[in-house]
């Protein structure tokens, strides 16, 4: 089959690789019909190379048609249409029963002290082949795949794999009162969707911050107040306070993560790490990794006293300098973590089978064949051509 594979920093290719096969009686093989490129895939493209292996299959936002099932699978059958969550969870352990599928005790990558395994996402998360491919082996066939109805195009359901539950959890963790205010830093796919979810929940004031004109216009078209960071690099906190009764927003969602603009020292540190031998670089990142924290620092400075910061952007540093005095003095609440996909499916799926209140049908800016993945990664990273969300069609 054809699959998108990693070969080095900024080097992804479409290769011919062996087809996946049933290994356990609860496995399912799906024929992938759509698979997204996620903003966190760019971390693999740029920063996380020491934890990748040449030929690793990328992608963690797939959906498709069940082609084959293991002997013990009863929940789905050949021909069923399913979405595959990005975190690999058994659905039956203690953590899964608490709605913490991202911490699944069955698939925790204990070798690296990490939570649940993920599709297509580094040795730290199990080095499991991903879904930017023509076929995908899915474990836990009775509990992991999300069965969806026939009818609407893939765009209606594919974001259940990651974008929708990640944005939904980010808004839930922000705990904004309905008459309150929320700032979303970063209007990429997760940030954009978080603004939509926030409005759906009835949050009175939602403000999006970005510096890419197309992303700002996209949010404005959905009725979101926006602030262009490129015009307010030195006074962004004062501008937002002026929009929020002078005290700052009730909550801030950081939907940017480690690839934030600014933080030149951390940028150089990441680049130098990328030049080291993988074994050395991996140990360095696990012990002394430093993120580019400008988005998080901005959130801390911007949120009102007693407010909440919700982190959905991915961070990977182990020696990040946190302003603990400010966090403590402002009595800031901080919530974060990988989305627990199945925790939110019962809340989200009815919205998709009824109408389209979150605008998922038109959410993707680009639909491309799998063969275009290498160029799409580059365009997406450079934020060119109005590219916000890419769906690959294997």
């Amino acid at each position: 089959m054809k699959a998108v594979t990693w070969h080095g920093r900024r080097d992804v290719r479409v290769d011919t690789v062996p087809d996946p096969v049933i290994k356990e009686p609860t496995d399912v093989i799906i024929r992938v019909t759509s698979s997204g490129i996620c903003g966190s895939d760019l971390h693999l493209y740029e920063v996380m190379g020491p934890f990748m292996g040449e030929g690793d299959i990328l992608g963690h936002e797939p959906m498709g048609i069940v082609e084959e099932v293991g002997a013990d699978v009863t929940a789905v059958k050949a021909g069923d249409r399913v979405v595959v969550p990005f975190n690999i969870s058994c659905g039956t352990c203690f953590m899964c029963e608490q709605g913490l599928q991202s911490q699944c005790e069955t698939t925790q990558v204990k070798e690296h002290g990490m939570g649940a395994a993920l599709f297509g996402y580094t040795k730290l998360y199990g080095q499991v082949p991903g879904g930017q491919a023509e076929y995908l082996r899915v474990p836990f066939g009775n509990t992991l795949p999300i069965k969806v109805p026939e009818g609407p195009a893939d765009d209606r359901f594919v974001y259940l794999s990651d974008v929708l539950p990640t944005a939904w959890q980010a808004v839930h963790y922000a705990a904004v009162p309905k008459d309150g205010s929320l700032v979303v830093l970063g209007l990429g796919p997760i940030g954009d969707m978080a603004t939509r979810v926030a409005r759906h929940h009835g949050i009175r004031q939602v403000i999006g911050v970005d510096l890419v004109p197309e992303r700002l216009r996209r949010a404005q078209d959905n009725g979101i107040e926006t602030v262009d960071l490129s015009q307010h690099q030195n006074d962004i906190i004062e501008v937002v306070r002026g929009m929020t009764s002078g005290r700052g927003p009730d909550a801030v969602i950081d939907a940017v993560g480690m690839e934030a603009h600014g933080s030149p020292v951390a940028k150089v540190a990441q680049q130098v790490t990328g030049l080291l031998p993988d074994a050395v670089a991996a140990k360095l990142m696990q012990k002394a990794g430093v993120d580019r924290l400008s988005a998080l620092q901005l959130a801390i400075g911007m949120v009102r006293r007693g407010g909440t910061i919700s982190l959905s952007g991915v961070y990977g540093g182990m020696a990040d300098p946190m302003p603990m005095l400010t966090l403590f003095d402002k009595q800031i609440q901080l919530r974060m973590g990988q989305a627990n996909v199945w925790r939110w499916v019962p809340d989200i799926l009815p919205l998709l089978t009824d109408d389209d209140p979150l605008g998922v049908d038109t959410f993707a800016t680009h639909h491309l064949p799998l063969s275009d993945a290498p160029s799409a990664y580059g365009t997406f990273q450079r934020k060119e051509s109005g590219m916000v969300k890419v769906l690959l069609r294997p």
Side-chain angles (χ1 to χ4, degrees):
M1 69 171 183
K2 298 292 186 182
V4 180
T5 58
W6 185 91
H7 288 271
R9 183 172 177 265
R10 298 189 186 183
D11 183 5
V12 300
R13 308 173 191 175
V14 177
D15 290 335
T16 299
V17 302
D19 290 356
V21 296
I22 297 287
K23 294 182 179 179
E24 302 291 339
T26 52
D27 285 350
V28 168
I29 304 295
I30 72 163
R31 174 174 55 83
V32 178
T33 55
S34 290
S35 189
I37 298 179
C38 179
S40 59
D41 287 329
L42 296 182
H43 305 325
L44 313 182
Y45 188 67
E46 181 72 30
V47 178
M48 301 294 286
F51 301 107
M52 299 294 290
E54 186 163 2
D56 280 356
I57 300 174
L58 304 178
H60 58 268
E61 298 184 347
M63 71 172 292
I65 306 299
V66 175
E67 290 281 303
E68 185 181 357
V69 301
D72 292 345
V73 175
T74 58
V76 296
K77 63 183 185 304
D80 283 347
R81 191 183 192 197
V82 298
V83 176
V84 182
F86 74 95
N87 38 30
I88 304 172
S89 58
C90 70
T92 56
C93 70
F94 172 84
M95 287 294 178
C96 287
E97 289 179 348
Q98 310 309 305
L100 292 168
Q101 290 85 6
S102 66
Q103 309 302 322
C104 174
E105 292 178 323
T106 305
T107 72
Q108 283 177 11
V109 186
K110 296 177 181 177
E111 175 187 358
H112 296 290
M114 305 298 281
L118 308 179
F119 286 103
Y121 214 81
T122 80
K123 298 182 178 82
L124 294 178
Y125 288 101
Q127 208 165 20
V128 181
Q132 291 172 9
E134 292 179 318
Y135 295 92
L136 177 68
R137 182 179 76 90
V138 181
F140 308 110
N142 289 318
T143 52
L144 184 57
I146 304 165
K147 189 174 177 180
V148 297
E150 298 295 332
D154 282 5
D155 293 54
R156 179 67 64 92
F157 301 112
V158 67
Y159 305 114
L160 276 172
S161 59
D162 182 352
V163 174
L164 278 168
T166 297
W168 197 277
Q169 179 172 294
V171 173
H172 180 81
Y173 281 6
V176 185
K178 285 195 175 181
D179 62 347
S181 54
L182 171 69
V183 168
V184 179
L185 299 179
L187 294 172
I190 301 301
D192 186 332
M193 185 58 73
T195 66
R196 301 176 188 217
V197 171
R199 292 297 295 270
H200 176 74
H201 285 334
I203 294 173
R204 177 184 56 83
Q205 184 179 29
V206 183
I207 301 168
V209 177
D210 207 297
L211 42 65
V212 180
E214 294 87 351
R215 297 184 178 193
L216 291 164
R217 282 196 298 271
R218 183 175 160 101
Q220 292 163 2
D221 289 344
N222 285 313
I224 304 301
E225 295 181 74
T226 62
V227 179
D228 186 344
L229 183 60
S230 68
Q231 302 299 314
H232 297 284
Q233 298 231 11
N234 297 320
D235 64 349
I236 181 69
I237 291 177
E238 289 75 16
V239 168
V240 170
R241 281 179 180 163
M243 300 169 69
T244 53
S245 304
R247 66 177 64 92
D250 295 297
V252 177
I253 292 174
D254 173 1
V256 178
M258 68 171 76
E259 296 220 56
H261 291 266
S263 306
V265 174
K267 179 180 180 180
V268 170
Q270 289 178 351
Q271 290 174 338
V272 169
T273 301
L275 299 176
L276 296 173
D278 284 351
V280 175
K283 288 182 180 179
L284 179 64
M285 290 181 71
Q286 286 182 296
K287 298 293 184 182
V290 178
D291 288 305
R292 299 162 71 180
L293 290 175
S294 56
L296 179 55
Q297 298 280 10
L298 181 58
I300 293 168
M302 181 181 293
V303 71
R304 70 161 170 82
R305 291 179 178 272
T308 302
I309 296 174
S310 172
L311 298 184
S312 63
V314 175
Y315 286 96
M318 291 294 285
D320 293 328
M322 291 291 288
M324 294 304 299
L325 175 62
T326 303
L327 287 166
F328 183 83
D329 180 65
K330 291 185 72 174
Q331 201 169 332
I332 292 172
Q333 300 177 75
L334 188 60
R335 296 198 70 181
M336 68 189 81
Q338 302 277 10
N340 303 295
V341 174
W342 261 108
R343 165 66 178 83
W344 309 111
V345 167
D347 296 326
I348 301 169
L349 189 54
L351 301 179
L352 307 180
T353 54
D354 180 18
D355 201 351
D356 185 22
L358 300 176
V360 294
D361 284 348
T362 57
F363 190 70
T365 55
H366 293 71
H367 297 83
L368 300 171
L370 196 69
S371 58
D372 285 358
S375 60
Y377 266 83
T379 302
F380 187 28
Q381 187 199 43
R382 294 188 299 271
K383 301 178 178 65
E384 295 176 347
S385 303
M387 187 175 283
V388 178
K389 188 59 186 177
V390 181
L391 289 181
L392 300 174
R393 305 291 201 200

